[in-house]
Amino acid sequence: MYAALLAGAAIMLFPFLWTLITSITPGGTLSNGPTLLVKNPTLAAYQTLFKTLPMARIVANSLGIAVASTLAQLVTGSMAAYGFARLSFRFKNLVFGLYLATLMVPLQVLVVPLFIEMKTFNLQDTYFALLAPSLASAFGVFLLKQAIEAVPRELDEAATLDGASHLRIFATIIVPLIRPGLATVAVFAFMGSWNSFLWPLVVIRSPELMTLPLGLDTLHGQHLTEWDVVMAGSVVSIVPITLIYLFAQRHIIAGIASTGIK
Amino acid sequence: MSTPATSSTIASAVPDPTARPPRPGGRRTRSLKNIGWVLFFLLPSAVPLAVFTLAPMVGSLWVSLHTWNLISPMRWSGLNNYTTLLQDPSTRTVFWHTLAYVAGYLPLVYVGGLALAVALNRKLAGRSIFRAVYFLPVITSWVVVALVWKWLLNPSSGLVNAVLGAVGLPQPGWWTDPQWALPSVILSSAWKDLGFVMVILLAGLQAIPQDLYEAATVDGASPWHRFRYITLPLLSPSTFFVVVISLINGFQVFDQVFVMTGGGPAGSSQVVVGQIYDLTFRYGRAGQASALSWLLFALILIITAVQVRGQKRWVHYA
């Protein structure tokens, strides 16, 4: 069984290694068939890559949009979750039902009208357009509402008697107690934005506004694919996310695992 | 307007003996204040959701009832788009391809993910390294995975065919061959998602009380029996989650198909979402594309609802 696990791990890792190897193989020798030992390793593909696309900008775009949408979803999601879990108001169930409805519609249903909305307000091909659909997520609201409902109400009642406002209870009592839920939402928000392809593909045209998936795809679409350049682009896009992953590994895995329990 | 304000001022000025803790403001100002708090907490999420999800949802339904090429004005066409789609054989083809994708992908990731989860749930040297390695593709974006696999599965200079050739096995044309295009996509997708399924199932495994296994072992249950009668039933909530999520995502498959095959060759791997994209941005049939997206949505809803209803039969919540 150990041998099988090792073989499996090799299958998981090898494509990454292969990407790296291809990216430093001189372009002309690629069609000679695969070799593991590169004869004349070169960084030419990386030079071509950075000449063809504003790569530094594209990496920064991807990271920036992912961080911004993660922060936005944490703030909007936890606030709405508090509203649904702790405030009472008329039509609460109806409003919550509308939130849940947005959760069920796949992006594909929304893409065309969303594109037109952006075009109408002349917002297509902007950072705002990239960010807009991920400012809030009903998934986050739902998950955090469950987390807040698990916090004993006595805690906020005691604080209310001491004269604390809702904002204060939210910020000083609730938020610190729902950190695991916030971590889960953060992981999903970040990965969702980092991987997002269809929406950027539809709404972004300028290379300076592209995110990594989109940039890589245009690279691949150009005339005859230069595989060394495409693989160099893949390496550039894998490195930052892998670094983040290595730092936050435990939280990321715990965050994803906790959605499946229950 | 003035009366409630005055009465509330009076109410707050004169201490009411029945009120337990003294609170500032009368009922009306309190409820106004409550509305203020509700708006404060809900608006930051309600506005973007309403503008960027609910409104486009309604818009998409509206568009689906029109003939429209995104440029000239919309023309009302009632349910025409829907009937055209239902009669068009290519609609059946793309749904069929999508179904074939899900049918190939789901068993692969589930069985693979389960085997990994069971193996990595034991005490094992390098266990956390294994988990990290198997998870690495999950954090890699779809476009990268699709590009890397397209290169690995390159029929003439790809690594996979080189290895197959070296050991004397046939070398398929992968994404250049209509027969192999969809399997290429399925293979790379399963490779990417295996770690995700593994993590969900591992969490489920760790929630199973250890003493159940000990008791079963004392009673002489074989490893297979323990797996069959303890692990599988108690893992069913996690399995349910994996199946529901995989089906929802599977029916929306797009990125990897778009990058690897573009739906080709000769439409042999075109899926529903790819068709929606092409109808809108290639053929200028936005109305029909919207109608198709609603058909897909309806199918996903039905499948999910059937699973939620059917879960009583096989999902055991502890």
Side-chain angles (χ1 to χ4, degrees):
Chain A
M1 190 190 71
Y2 207 75
L5 275 176
L6 275 176
I11 293 176
M12 289 293 132
L13 277 182
F14 208 78
F16 291 108
L17 184 65
W18 187 238
T19 308
L20 188 66
I21 289 175
T22 308
S23 75
I24 55 168
T25 307
T29 60
L30 279 176
S31 51
N32 298 345
T35 38
L36 279 184
L37 287 170
V38 188
K39 272 205 190 108
N40 303 302
T42 163
L43 291 178
Y46 290 85
Q47 281 168 347
T48 318
L49 172 72
F50 279 81
K51 245 184 276 165
T52 331
L53 284 175
M55 275 313 279
R57 179 80 185 263
I58 288 179
V59 175
N61 286 346
S62 263
L63 280 174
I65 297 288
V67 168
S69 72
T70 304
L71 288 178
Q73 284 188 33
L74 286 176
V75 172
T76 59
S78 57
M79 287 179 74
Y82 183 87
F84 285 119
R86 287 301 202 253
L87 300 176
S88 51
F89 53 97
R90 253 207 260 184
F91 306 121
K92 184 156 103 169
N93 288 338
L94 177 73
V95 176
F96 191 63
L98 283 176
Y99 270 66
L100 288 186
T102 68
L103 194 61
M104 285 175 224
V105 200
L107 176 69
Q108 300 85 6
V109 174
L110 309 176
V111 154
V112 176
L114 208 50
F115 174 69
I116 288 144
E117 215 176 286
M118 293 299 162
K119 226 175 140 183
T120 314
F121 297 105
N122 226 350
L123 284 167
Q124 86 275 33
D125 209 14
T126 60
Y127 281 129
F128 180 79
L130 272 182
L131 199 55
S134 49
L135 285 173
S137 106
F139 167 74
V141 175
F142 181 71
L143 208 115
L144 294 172
K145 177 178 169 270
Q146 308 283 93
I148 293 177
E149 275 165 355
V151 175
R153 261 174 195 273
E154 289 79 42
L155 286 179
D156 2 344
E157 273 158 17
T160 313
L161 287 181
D162 289 342
S165 68
H166 280 298
L167 180 59
R168 207 173 158 146
I169 295 173
F170 169 71
T172 60
I173 298 178
I174 300 292
V175 167
L177 286 174
I178 56 168
R179 255 187 251 145
L182 291 171
T184 304
V185 172
V187 168
F188 275 88
F190 192 94
M191 296 218 318
S193 168
W194 184 261
N195 288 330
S196 157
F197 178 60
L198 179 60
W199 177 237
L201 176 72
V202 166
V203 86
I204 294 299
R205 286 284 164 271
S206 325
E208 314 80 69
L209 294 180
M210 283 182 177
T211 52
L212 273 168
L214 192 53
L216 288 183
D217 181 62
T218 58
L219 214 56
H220 156 70
Q222 279 169 355
H223 39 89
L224 201 73
T225 304
E226 295 170 53
W227 282 105
D228 52 338
V229 180
V230 173
M231 290 302 112
S234 303
V235 171
V236 170
S237 80
I238 291 167
V239 168
I241 191 78
T242 308
L243 288 179
I244 293 175
Y245 169 65
L246 289 180
F247 273 110
Q249 187 184 344
R250 245 187 320 143
H251 301 283
I252 292 174
I253 290 191
I256 288 179
S258 66
T259 56
I261 313 175
K262 271 200 287 194
Chain B
M1 270 309 284
S2 66
T3 342
T6 337
S7 68
S8 69
T9 348
I10 295 166
S12 61
V14 181
D16 180 353
T18 57
R20 275 163 298 148
R23 279 189 195 148
R27 182 175 290 172
R28 179 60 66 94
T29 39
R30 258 212 317 276
S31 83
L32 270 180
K33 221 170 151 188
N34 188 44
I35 291 176
W37 280 119
V38 169
L39 293 179
F40 173 78
F41 279 106
L42 290 193
L43 281 186
S45 54
V47 170
L49 282 177
V51 177
F52 302 120
T53 309
L54 275 181
M57 237 171 111
V58 178
S60 157
L61 254 186
W62 182 245
V63 171
S64 79
L65 302 173
H66 291 77
T67 305
W68 192 31
N69 61 6
L70 289 176
I71 301 158
S72 47
M74 291 201 267
R75 265 184 304 120
W76 176 262
S77 60
L79 292 175
N80 241 345
N81 286 324
Y82 292 91
T83 48
T84 314
L85 279 174
L86 291 175
Q87 282 159 5
D88 186 348
S90 73
T91 309
R92 203 167 314 149
T93 313
V94 294
F95 271 103
W96 192 242
H97 288 161
T98 310
L99 203 68
Y101 167 81
V102 173
Y105 159 88
L106 185 58
L108 269 181
V109 285
Y110 184 72
V111 174
L114 181 62
L116 278 178
V118 170
L120 292 178
N121 195 32
R122 306 181 186 194
K123 290 201 181 65
L124 205 67
R127 179 167 74 166
S128 57
I129 298 175
F130 276 124
R131 285 185 192 171
V133 165
Y134 282 106
F135 196 74
L136 215 49
V138 179
I139 55 157
T140 313
S141 82
W142 273 115
V143 172
V144 173
V145 169
L147 285 171
V148 170
W149 275 92
K150 188 171 181 179
W151 174 230
L152 281 165
L153 294 175
N154 191 305
S156 54
S157 42
L159 183 69
V160 173
N161 271 1
V163 172
L164 289 178
V167 294
L169 286 170
Q171 299 161 297
W174 300 114
W175 44 268
T176 59
D177 178 344
Q179 290 232 299
W180 283 94
L182 207 53
S184 306
V185 174
I186 291 173
L187 270 180
S188 55
S189 306
W191 178 81
K192 177 174 167 38
D193 281 346
L194 207 58
F196 178 81
V197 176
M198 172 194 79
V199 162
I200 302 281
L201 294 181
L202 256 175
L205 284 179
Q206 279 159 5
I208 300 177
Q210 216 46 50
D211 40 342
L212 285 179
Y213 291 106
E214 282 153 23
T217 315
V218 171
D219 289 348
S222 68
W224 165 249
H225 276 105
R226 274 175 278 159
F227 177 76
R228 173 70 189 77
Y229 296 106
I230 299 176
T231 309
L232 275 187
L234 289 178
L235 200 57
S236 55
S238 304
T239 302
F240 177 69
F241 179 81
V242 167
V243 172
V244 170
I245 291 291
S246 303
L247 284 177
I248 292 179
N249 290 336
F251 276 98
Q252 298 177 26
V253 58
F254 172 71
D255 299 5
Q256 58 271 52
V257 179
F258 185 81
V259 173
M260 265 183 109
T261 69
S268 59
S269 60
Q270 183 66 301
V271 289
V272 181
V273 178
Q275 182 87 337
I276 293 172
Y277 182 86
D278 281 355
L279 279 175
T280 315
F281 297 101
R282 226 168 254 175
Y283 309 128
R285 283 192 258 164
Q288 223 178 64
S290 294
L292 184 56
S293 68
W294 279 93
L295 288 184
L296 176 65
F297 181 34
L299 179 72
I300 293 174
L301 267 191
I302 292 170
I303 289 175
T304 309
V306 166
Q307 291 179 82
V308 171
R309 296 205 73 182
Q311 66 169 318
K312 285 190 205 100
R313 298 223 191 118
W314 63 279
V315 181
H316 308 271
Y317 290 95

